[in-house]
Amino acid sequence: MDSMQIIVTISGVALIGLTLWFFFGKRSEPSLKDADELYSCPMHPWITSNDPTTDCSICGMKLVRNINEHK
């Protein structure tokens, strides 16, 4: 392998690693005792908000109230 192939391979592995970390890295879970209701995206359930007028930051869908939320 020449040096350009090594650089491209390392860059690709780093890009894949950063993408996985961005989507699946540690997220702080919102506290249910602080919120009356929690809303999430139907397609991306990890996108949540306490504001029912918020849209999903990935697909733009309206967030819906969680049905499995404990009160």
Side-chain angles (χ1 to χ4, degrees):
M1 292 179 92
D2 65 348
S3 61
M4 185 55 77
Q5 287 177 328
I6 293 172
I7 291 171
V8 169
T9 302
I10 292 173
S11 298
V13 169
L15 182 61
I16 291 170
L18 287 172
T19 302
L20 291 173
W21 173 79
F22 177 76
F23 284 108
F24 300 109
K26 184 178 179 183
R27 296 181 297 271
S28 62
E29 296 295 325
S31 174
L32 291 179
K33 64 182 178 183
D34 294 340
D36 293 329
E37 293 181 344
L38 188 62
Y39 298 85
S40 64
C41 176
M43 288 183 63
H44 308 100
W46 60 90
I47 305 294
T48 59
S49 175
N50 297 336
D51 183 9
T53 62
T54 304
D55 295 334
C56 176
S57 60
I58 296 174
C59 65
M61 291 179 69
K62 291 286 185 193
L63 301 187
V64 296
R65 187 174 66 85
N66 286 351
I67 59 173
N68 59 356
E69 181 179 346
H70 302 290
K71 292 220 174 203

